[in-house]
Amino acid sequence: MERYLIKFSKKDSAKYISHLDTMRTLHRAVRRAQLPIYYSKGFNPHASISIASPLSLGIESSCEYADIEFESFLEKNYILNSLNAVLPEGIKIIDVLHVKEKMKPSMALVEGAKYIVKLKYDEDIEAAKSTVNLILNAETIEIIKKSKSGEKLENIRPFIKDIVIKKYEENNLELEFLLSCGSRGNLSPNAVVELLYKKSDGRIYDHPEIKRDELYCIKNNKWIDLLSYFKGK
Amino acid sequence: MIYIADKILSSVTKPARYTGGEVNQVVKDLKDVNVRFAMCFPDVYEVGMSHLGIKILYHKINEREDCYCERAFAPWSDMENLMRKNGIPLFSLETKTPLKEFNFVGFTLQYEMSYTNVINMLDLSGIPLMSKDRKMEDPFVIFGGPCVYNPEPLSDIADFFVLGEAEEVIDEILDIYIKWKQSKKSREEFLLEAASVEGVYVPSFYDIEYNYDGTIKKRIALKGNIPDVIRKRYIKDLNESYFPEKIIVPLTEIVHDRIMLETFRGCTRGCRFCQAGMIYRPVREKKTDKLMEIAEKLLKNTGYEEISLTSLSICDYSDIKNLVHSLVEKYEKERVSLSLPSLRIDSFSVDLINEIQKVRKTGLTFAPEAGTQRMRDIINKGVTEEDLIKSVKSAFESGWSTIKLYFMIGLPFETLEDVEGIAALGQKVVDTYFSIPKEKRNKGLNITLSTSSFVPKPFTPFQWEAQDSMKSLTEKQQYLKEKIKSRYITYNWHENPISFLEAVFSRGDRRLTKVLIKAWEKGCKFDGWQEFFKFESWMEAFKECNVDPEFYALRKRELDEILPWDFIDIGVNKEYLKNELKKAQEGKLTKDCRISCTGCGITQFSKEGNCFNGAIFNKVQ
């Protein structure tokens, strides 16, 4: 059994493939490519593919990661090319890494994510900056979180690591969000977009165009992208 | 091409229903094609994409270089609202082209309760609902599928219907269309040409005269040179017929998310309630080696992990044991699972399913259809209580503990004893379970009894019979509920108003088109979905159109009445159906045609009308 980390992108209409359907789509692609996927033993065997971090519907990504195990060693380019030949439009394998050492599943390592968010805004850039600062300077930001057991207030401020205005041209505002991601704390970029709408009194507006740009884990107290982490840099 | 904003797609449920772009979707350059065909299924994506017929036709049409077939489904209500609000017409998934720009808009009609969705989809496309209102630039709206064996309720909407297996006809239609397009003649000229193709029915070329009592007096042909009788078309040699090697793999989970391997068409059992058993005659099989070949290609091209062997009654496939063995042997290592969706009630079937599901014992489903032997004989379901008890005993001993049993209530000549018989049979199944020593059976007994309410269908021996009233059906359901004592039994039943409407439209005539449109105007759509079904609106529509639904659903027809679908020839003759009805009344059985020919007429219907084409005779069980 050999473990690999694959990095892939989800673009255009593929952003509307849900997390579970993405798993199914990858699994079927592996079968079409006739790669020797490893199946768990036991009563109800399942293919050993797991995605590092679920991506919300409607968000593009250039940095999805999945752990995948094969029965035997395969050349990384062979995996990359044979999968790309059979994947649907919009999903593309960018990189493959053979994980030789015993490491935790990627899912357990992910700590944060970077998102590029495009919104509309018509006014002075300084006002946008102060809206962002309103969020960053707040000690607590409570939002109502809905779950199966009901609604409860949650402080999401600790999950917002940074918000940076990257570009402002015409009325297009481009921001970068650094947010907690993973089992120890997770915040959807859509929740931050909602905050921006609210704190700017609607001056920041329109349906956001969101792209996940990187996934991070922590090494020596620093955020490091998943692929580099696995490469051991 | 239509652009659908992210804002819209992000705010609807399951947006992957509307994006297209699946693996094996056919992509063509529009410059290279002469005919554009929109294959439509009048239900939501997950349902439509689960249907084998449109997959076959989609790929078959796309085999032609001069044609491009694309797909369209009914948008779910959230998407429909946003489309209407933003002025987006219904579009094809492949190229996002408005349906109005296609040359053909073809619908498959699988169930009557999808008719309002057809109207809604035409309206969303901006295509005139009535065929008489369509102009030169509008598409031809055509229909196929089992419901068109009584096409009349949609006769004002359809430009034409295709009767029978469309794979056999579609090329002829497309060829005629291409010639006509070059000739620049009128729409009517094309329809006249199309009407000369066997299996094509152009309703606007006929008129109906009615008697005072509302029954049909006669059909009048309005044009010369058009057939009085429309003969169904069917594939003569199924083994050699077209079957796609690549099928579309959806990006969102659909209802039947697996390979459907079609083993044979037709059925020899002759159950008297069953329309499929009559209209799909003669029985034609694909050979095992052919099926193995198709399975291999489909597995490779789709990545699916499951194959479902489809047909009307899979255990009747003449080479079933060999087929199942071969598939299991070849694909066990690759973890391909097999499913048999229609189990016969006998130990042979249970042995077969045991072989397939060695580890995971999910539920088993049997369909005794009726609760007493008397009733099962009336409907010619050649199954005895002993067969069922033996089968479930063998299933329990093999480790199954969840069993579903399907029944019908409201069958012709039914008495309360027959209804009670369903409960009694359920109890006997429970008793059978407990008669097996504890160590030989699995825990967690769970028996589900499910009843649907009988809907008389055209081209069956019961086509003349009245449907049971909703009141009576409700009483029977209540009665049955009271008779079920065991806590191991769950009872499910169908909603009677839906069955009532099904009965109206399955045996309806031309006067129902206006009711359909009226009901749709009142907001009726997705009538097969409980959350959308508006029975009161339907009843208002009937009232406002001055049409009595009970005339269609609850009236027993005289044997000499002209029925709305009498002009269609399915190959099984009317005398045979009458005789079967008589035998039903007398409780007499008709044997399986494999034992000896029962003379239904199909062998005389066509010169090549060869029953059991492809079947291996010495293996017929």
Side-chain angles (χ1 to χ4, degrees):
Chain A
M1 186 178 71
E2 301 289 334
R3 176 175 168 190
Y4 293 83
L5 180 71
I6 59 169
K7 182 179 183 183
F8 62 99
S9 58
K10 254 176 110 180
K11 300 240 161 103
D12 305 322
S13 64
K15 67 176 171 237
Y16 295 113
I17 306 175
S18 71
H19 174 63
L20 275 177
D21 288 329
T22 304
M23 297 271 285
R24 237 190 301 269
T25 298
L26 285 177
H27 182 207
R28 285 177 187 157
V30 165
R31 293 183 63 93
R32 283 193 295 274
Q34 298 185 302
L35 298 177
I37 182 92
Y38 174 79
Y39 281 83
S40 66
K41 306 278 181 252
F43 192 65
N44 190 3
H46 59 270
S48 179
I49 303 178
S50 64
I51 292 175
S53 165
L55 184 67
S56 304
L57 215 62
I59 297 180
E60 287 202 359
S61 177
S62 55
C63 63
E64 291 307 286
Y65 293 92
D67 289 326
I68 181 162
E69 287 173 318
F70 292 118
E71 294 279 359
S72 53
F73 172 79
L74 299 169
E75 284 296 337
K76 96 174 215 195
N77 279 338
Y78 177 73
I79 298 173
L80 188 137
N81 293 333
S82 46
L83 281 178
N84 279 338
V86 295
L87 277 165
E89 286 172 31
I91 297 183
K92 199 177 162 208
I93 311 289
I94 309 163
D95 211 336
V96 177
L97 182 75
H98 186 204
V99 181
K100 291 174 202 132
E101 284 113 80
K102 188 154 175 61
M103 291 173 100
K104 280 186 185 168
S106 338
M107 200 188 287
L109 291 166
V110 174
E111 293 281 348
K114 180 164 86 188
Y115 299 91
I116 310 287
V117 181
K118 289 178 185 166
L119 283 157
K120 295 280 182 212
Y121 178 67
D122 307 316
E123 290 168 40
D124 180 15
I125 183 71
E126 291 307 317
K129 278 182 188 160
S130 59
T131 298
V132 168
N133 285 333
L134 266 180
I135 297 172
L136 294 179
N137 295 337
E139 290 206 352
T140 56
I141 300 173
E142 288 192 319
I143 61 164
I144 297 164
K145 218 168 187 180
K146 282 175 198 154
S147 69
K148 278 173 203 157
S149 49
E151 292 180 353
K152 62 169 189 182
L153 277 179
E154 193 188 21
N155 177 20
I156 58 165
R157 181 61 193 87
F159 304 141
I160 303 173
K161 302 300 176 192
D162 205 0
I163 301 172
V164 184
I165 296 176
K166 297 299 277 188
K167 239 193 257 170
Y168 182 50
E169 281 170 359
E170 311 252 317
N171 57 354
N172 297 312
L173 188 65
E174 187 179 312
L175 304 115
E176 193 178 278
F177 297 172
L178 282 170
L179 308 177
S180 293
C181 184
S183 53
R184 282 169 294 277
N186 195 61
L187 185 62
S188 155
N190 284 311
V192 181
V193 169
E194 289 297 327
L195 268 183
L196 287 169
Y197 291 156
K198 211 169 112 192
K199 301 280 180 194
S200 70
D201 293 324
R203 282 173 294 173
I204 295 175
Y205 64 97
D206 208 17
H207 180 74
E209 192 185 313
I210 308 177
K211 187 168 119 183
R212 183 142 84 180
D213 202 43
E214 197 46 84
L215 273 186
Y216 301 98
C217 46
I218 289 179
K219 192 179 178 185
N220 305 330
N221 279 327
K222 273 186 183 165
W223 279 22
I224 170 171
D225 73 84
L226 222 60
L227 196 64
S228 303
Y229 179 86
F230 273 88
K231 280 179 178 166
K233 278 172 198 164
Chain B
M1 189 181 150
I2 293 169
Y3 169 73
I4 301 115
D6 283 333
K7 194 177 177 171
I8 291 176
L9 287 173
S10 291
S11 57
V12 296
T13 49
K14 302 188 185 171
R17 286 166 169 166
Y18 313 107
T19 57
E22 307 95 325
V23 167
N24 297 332
Q25 161 188 296
V26 177
V27 179
K28 290 189 179 185
D29 192 333
L30 294 178
K31 288 199 299 290
D32 304 334
V33 296
N34 215 339
V35 186
R36 297 188 66 187
F37 194 110
M39 186 68 68
C40 303
F41 195 101
D43 209 317
V44 76
Y45 179 88
E46 302 93 285
V47 176
M49 282 298 288
S50 299
H51 181 246
L52 179 62
I54 64 164
K55 289 179 208 241
I56 298 176
L57 272 177
Y58 172 83
H59 291 284
K60 162 127 182 138
I61 296 174
N62 278 322
E63 288 280 300
R64 292 175 65 122
E65 279 183 13
D66 54 0
C67 300
Y68 189 10
C69 181
E70 304 180 43
R71 296 161 297 149
F73 300 94
W76 195 242
S77 60
D78 56 353
M79 183 64 172
E80 184 193 332
N81 291 341
L82 287 173
M83 286 168 72
R84 291 194 185 274
K85 204 171 137 197
N86 292 282
I88 300 172
L90 188 60
F91 53 88
S92 65
L93 295 187
E94 280 76 3
T95 61
K96 317 283 182 295
T97 304
L99 256 52
K100 201 178 161 61
E101 292 175 26
F102 281 79
N103 303 117
F104 287 98
V105 169
F107 287 91
T108 179
L109 301 178
Q110 297 294 317
Y111 32 90
E112 291 82 6
M113 301 318 287
S114 66
Y115 290 177
T116 50
N117 274 12
V118 170
I119 296 171
N120 200 36
M121 286 169 77
L122 289 174
D123 179 70
L124 256 176
S125 307
I127 297 169
L129 299 183
M130 301 296 225
S131 60
K132 66 175 168 50
D133 297 329
R134 286 181 206 127
K135 301 279 182 307
M136 200 58 193
E137 65 279 7
D138 288 316
F140 287 100
V141 178
I142 69 176
F143 295 91
C147 286
V148 308
Y149 283 101
N150 177 20
E152 292 298 86
L154 290 168
S155 56
D156 292 337
I157 293 165
D159 285 301
F160 62 88
F161 296 92
V162 177
L163 282 141
E165 295 167 355
E167 307 112 283
E168 182 74 4
V169 198
I170 195 73
D171 276 330
E172 291 167 40
I173 294 168
L174 293 170
D175 289 340
I176 290 178
Y177 178 83
I178 289 169
K179 267 193 204 149
W180 168 81
K181 199 177 168 189
Q182 286 160 349
S183 74
K184 298 197 163 41
K185 287 182 185 162
S186 68
R187 275 178 82 89
E188 192 180 304
E189 289 285 339
F190 169 68
L191 292 174
L192 269 171
E193 279 280 323
S196 69
V197 174
E198 195 173 76
V200 171
Y201 168 51
V202 183
S204 58
F205 290 168
Y206 303 83
D207 204 3
I208 311 289
E209 228 177 81
Y210 297 96
N211 294 311
Y212 280 119
D213 63 3
T215 56
I216 293 170
K217 191 171 179 190
K218 61 176 174 187
R219 285 177 66 84
I220 304 154
L222 301 174
K223 306 273 170 199
N225 254 342
I226 53 166
D228 290 328
V229 171
I230 311 287
R231 289 160 60 93
K232 79 164 178 195
R233 294 288 292 274
Y234 69 95
I235 301 273
K236 304 291 181 310
D237 185 347
L238 196 67
N239 200 49
E240 292 307 315
S241 72
Y242 174 78
F243 200 83
E245 292 172 358
K246 290 182 172 189
I247 54 166
I248 294 174
V249 187
L251 297 173
T252 178
E253 195 175 13
I254 59 171
V255 181
H256 297 296
D257 212 0
R258 56 189 75 96
I259 290 171
M260 280 178 268
L261 195 59
E262 189 187 28
T263 53
F264 71 107
R265 291 187 191 172
C267 177
T268 57
R269 303 262 151 188
C271 299
R272 293 179 179 127
F273 56 86
C274 179
Q275 188 190 39
M278 297 294 162
I279 60 177
Y280 293 116
R281 291 181 184 209
V283 168
R284 292 144 294 152
E285 293 194 351
K286 281 194 161 96
K287 293 197 162 62
T288 296
D289 53 355
K290 183 77 173 189
L291 291 167
M292 294 298 291
E293 192 188 309
I294 298 171
E296 181 169 353
K297 285 174 180 155
L298 284 174
L299 283 168
K300 191 163 171 281
N301 292 328
T302 61
Y304 272 127
E305 290 188 285
E306 187 181 350
I307 298 176
S308 165
L309 299 180
T310 67
S311 67
L312 292 170
S313 164
I314 187 58
C315 298
D316 287 338
Y317 177 64
S318 65
D319 198 21
I320 185 68
K321 242 180 163 161
N322 181 26
L323 176 65
V324 166
H325 280 304
S326 307
L327 285 168
V328 168
E329 195 179 2
K330 188 162 177 196
Y331 297 112
E332 205 167 19
K333 269 198 227 87
E334 293 171 39
R335 291 163 206 278
V336 174
S337 64
L338 268 189
S339 58
L340 305 180
S342 52
L343 274 197
R344 212 162 68 185
I345 304 176
D346 55 23
S347 45
F348 172 80
S349 305
V350 176
D351 290 348
L352 206 61
I353 196 91
N354 270 333
E355 178 153 3
I356 292 167
Q357 299 190 338
K358 282 182 187 138
V359 193
R360 286 168 76 180
K361 307 268 184 195
T362 45
L364 274 191
T365 303
F366 294 114
E369 312 286 7
T372 58
Q373 199 56 47
R374 188 192 83 90
M375 199 69 233
R376 284 191 296 272
D377 289 349
I378 288 172
I379 61 176
N380 202 41
K381 182 89 190 175
V383 162
T384 62
E385 188 175 301
E386 197 192 343
D387 294 331
L388 179 71
I389 296 306
K390 265 189 182 166
S391 303
V392 295
K393 185 160 189 275
S394 154
F396 290 141
E397 285 169 348
S398 317
W400 267 280
S401 55
T402 298
I403 288 181
K404 267 190 198 163
L405 300 172
Y406 282 158
F407 297 92
M408 275 183 284
I409 56 167
L411 285 159
F413 323 118
E414 182 181 61
T415 65
L416 273 184
E417 273 162 46
D418 299 310
V419 177
E420 193 176 349
I422 297 172
L425 203 55
Q427 187 56 49
K428 279 175 191 157
V429 172
V430 171
D431 296 343
T432 306
Y433 174 84
F434 286 109
S435 74
I436 297 165
K438 247 184 182 163
E439 61 281 7
K440 280 192 175 169
R441 53 170 153 93
N442 265 344
K443 278 183 200 154
L445 177 67
N446 186 355
I447 304 297
T448 302
L449 303 181
S450 189
T451 62
S452 62
S453 304
F454 174 65
V455 176
K457 296 273 175 168
F459 296 109
T460 64
F462 293 154
Q463 65 177 354
W464 295 276
E465 290 301 308
Q467 187 185 41
D468 213 350
S469 71
M470 286 188 275
K471 185 169 168 279
S472 163
L473 288 167
T474 308
E475 283 166 7
K476 285 175 181 173
Q477 287 161 344
Q478 197 52 43
Y479 181 73
L480 179 49
K481 223 167 110 183
E482 284 163 17
K483 293 290 170 188
I484 295 169
K485 305 286 182 216
S486 169
R487 64 188 174 93
Y488 298 101
I489 300 179
T490 316
Y491 174 45
N492 294 327
W493 61 94
H494 277 212
E495 291 298 323
N496 294 319
I498 293 183
S499 306
F500 175 70
L501 279 183
E502 258 179 61
V504 171
F505 284 96
S506 74
R507 292 186 298 168
D509 59 32
R510 292 191 166 196
R511 292 167 292 189
L512 290 178
T513 307
K514 59 178 188 287
V515 182
L516 270 177
I517 292 177
K518 181 64 84 183
W520 166 75
E521 284 168 356
K522 290 176 177 294
C524 293
K525 60 184 176 189
F526 284 111
D527 296 301
W529 296 73
Q530 199 59 54
E531 63 261 53
F532 283 101
F533 186 62
K534 298 178 177 176
F535 191 57
E536 293 74 31
S537 303
W538 272 104
M539 289 302 107
E540 283 167 29
F542 280 110
K543 211 169 173 189
E544 286 169 33
C545 294
N546 209 9
V547 169
D548 174 16
E550 297 190 357
F551 173 81
Y552 300 100
L554 306 186
R555 184 174 60 91
K556 186 177 166 75
R557 279 78 163 161
E558 294 299 324
L559 289 178
D560 59 359
E561 180 178 329
I562 298 175
L563 303 171
W565 54 91
D566 270 351
F567 69 99
I568 292 168
D569 188 358
I570 63 160
V572 173
N573 62 52
K574 206 172 177 178
E575 287 311 309
Y576 179 78
L577 297 178
K578 283 182 189 168
N579 191 39
E580 280 297 300
L581 176 63
K582 193 166 159 266
K583 285 173 87 176
Q585 268 162 322
E586 294 162 357
K588 283 187 186 155
L589 287 170
T590 294
K591 282 191 177 135
D592 189 307
C593 359
R594 288 179 196 239
I595 297 166
S596 71
C597 179
T598 61
C600 71
I602 195 74
T603 51
Q604 290 91 51
F605 175 65
S606 161
K607 278 174 212 133
E608 305 106 293
N610 195 351
C611 284
F612 310 113
N613 194 346
I616 301 169
F617 263 97
N618 59 8
K619 290 199 183 175
V620 169
Q621 298 261 339

